[in-house]
Amino acid sequence: MELIMSHHLDSPLARQDPRLDISDVYLFRGTIGTTFIINVNPLSGAGAFHPEGRYEFKIDTDGDAVEDRTYCVTFGERDSDGRQALELSRLDGEDARDRDAAGTVLLRGTTGTKLGTQSGARLWAGPAADPFSINGAVVGAVREAVVDGKSFDLTAIDYEQPANLFAGTNVNAIVLEIPDEDFEADAIGFWGTTALATDAGGWRQINRCAHPLVNTLFYPDGSPEASDYNTTQPSQDRDLYGPLVYDLVSQAVAAVHTSDDPGAHASRVVDAIFPDILRYEIGTSAGFGFAGRNGRGLADCAPEVMFALVLNKAVPLGLDSRSNTAEPGRSFPYLAPPV
């Protein structure tokens, strides 16, 4: 597949091992608390998690775009039944930013099993149907307008037979639910990261993800910039990537004539997506929508929101719920089973 969307295989670094490639993250109110989901290994038949990797839920509790808490999940090798041992640890304060810190082990178990702690935290990891949906013709046209500076013509998109490129595909998912009272904050920020142990010791960050489609919309497929983005931290985003996004967005909206002040609109886009963190008010209904963004639910049409944000123009996907492989569930772990 030439065109990669959301964070599906979004950089050369991520493509080296799809087990560490984060396709999407989600953040919403679950049945007993706040639910965080990291999906990896996109476009797959769903295989194993990397036994030498770290899958990290990074949480900012004070709004400075630096993690104050990290939940880390690690995995063992697959057994004869295809299951993997797993371990969930919690790290706080400075340890949350130190991959060599030991942290506190909260639970141990195996993939494919609903696990819980005495404090009420829940964890599940395993294969699931990919909840992300996209019309390739639409995202391709938007991407060309933003990255390549080509004209954008909505009437040129064939909506007669729109197809979800991710129908029938699976991901490996990690679903973590934390009781609301566990957070000493009214609002949090969240992003997911993966890291791999290096031969020289220590860890190398491979991927990170919060807002959908950031790399797809602003960095060419296969570019070093796409890999660089995945190895940096949200607190650096405005300085490192703000100028580029400002230039691309201002040029794009000027070309499609959707703003009388392209520069002002571009500044709003930069402010909206950087730092690249999903913000969420604890205990509220999540929604990644046109009027506002508060976490991200499994059924939110996030691509249309991102397209409208960037181009200052409604860009319909032409898809409805029938394009999804399966509907999300209402009970933990919420994701549909693999197809």
Side-chain angles (χ1 to χ4, degrees):
M1 184 180 295
E2 293 298 323
L3 181 63
I4 307 301
M5 49 281 309
S6 194
H7 282 247
H8 294 66
L9 305 177
D10 67 352
S11 72
L13 184 59
R15 293 177 204 178
Q16 289 178 17
D17 197 319
R19 294 175 295 177
L20 296 166
D21 175 39
I22 304 175
S23 56
D24 288 283
V25 300
Y26 299 88
L27 172 60
F28 56 90
R29 173 68 182 170
T31 54
I32 66 165
T34 301
T35 300
F36 307 82
I37 297 179
I38 294 177
N39 288 342
V40 297
N41 200 15
L43 305 174
S44 72
F49 295 93
H50 201 303
E52 297 178 6
R54 291 169 59 97
Y55 298 80
E56 301 167 327
F57 297 77
K58 298 287 188 177
I59 300 172
D60 169 26
T61 61
D62 58 12
D64 64 355
V66 175
E67 61 268 48
D68 303 293
R69 184 186 301 182
T70 296
Y71 290 98
C72 175
V73 185
T74 56
F75 297 89
E77 297 284 355
R78 296 178 79 174
D79 63 18
S80 58
D81 295 324
R83 294 179 179 268
Q84 293 176 266
L86 64 80
E87 180 177 281
L88 170 67
S89 299
R90 171 177 165 171
L91 303 97
D92 292 285
E94 292 184 2
D95 285 353
R97 303 178 284 277
D98 181 1
R99 291 190 169 108
D100 290 320
T104 301
V105 176
L106 300 183
L107 60 78
R108 295 184 176 94
T110 57
T111 55
T113 304
K114 296 178 184 179
L115 305 168
T117 67
Q118 290 185 343
S119 64
R122 300 197 289 187
L123 180 73
W124 179 90
D130 193 339
F132 185 76
S133 60
I134 197 71
N135 180 337
V138 177
V139 71
V142 174
R143 189 179 180 285
E144 287 181 346
V146 176
V147 174
D148 301 328
K150 296 183 179 180
S151 61
F152 179 78
D153 182 7
L154 196 61
T155 63
I157 297 173
D158 181 9
Y159 283 105
E160 291 299 317
Q161 294 181 317
N164 172 20
L165 287 179
F166 297 105
T169 64
N170 296 318
V171 292
N172 283 350
I174 308 173
V175 184
L176 174 67
E177 190 163 2
I178 303 296
D180 292 341
E181 57 270 21
D182 224 34
F183 296 103
E184 298 177 358
D186 295 327
I188 58 173
F190 162 58
W191 67 103
T193 59
T194 58
L196 183 64
T198 67
D199 291 338
W203 300 86
R204 182 185 188 188
Q205 184 169 301
I206 302 298
N207 209 226
R208 67 169 167 126
C209 179
H211 289 95
L213 294 162
V214 172
N215 256 358
T216 298
L217 290 175
F218 299 115
Y219 304 104
D221 290 342
S223 68
E225 292 82 3
S227 286
D228 290 345
Y229 187 84
N230 280 319
T231 62
T232 53
Q233 309 304 320
S235 59
Q236 302 172 284
D237 286 343
R238 193 177 299 275
D239 291 337
L240 291 179
Y241 312 112
L244 171 63
V245 170
Y246 175 90
D247 288 343
L248 291 175
V249 172
S250 58
Q251 292 169 15
V253 296
V256 297
H257 308 291
T258 55
S259 174
D260 292 332
D261 191 341
H265 175 71
S267 293
R268 288 192 292 270
V269 172
V270 171
D271 290 340
I273 65 174
F274 292 144
D276 187 8
I277 294 174
L278 287 183
R279 298 290 183 186
Y280 174 67
E281 293 185 17
I282 298 292
T284 65
S285 296
F288 195 92
F290 298 102
R293 292 171 298 281
N294 182 42
R296 180 185 175 188
L298 290 169
D300 291 339
C301 192
E304 287 188 354
V305 176
M306 291 296 290
F307 298 157
L309 173 66
V310 172
L311 291 181
N312 202 29
K313 175 184 179 68
V315 183
L317 287 178
L319 301 174
D320 58 27
S321 60
R322 291 172 296 180
S323 70
N324 294 331
T325 300
E327 291 294 321
R330 294 187 177 183
S331 60
F332 183 86
Y334 311 111
L335 294 167
V339 294

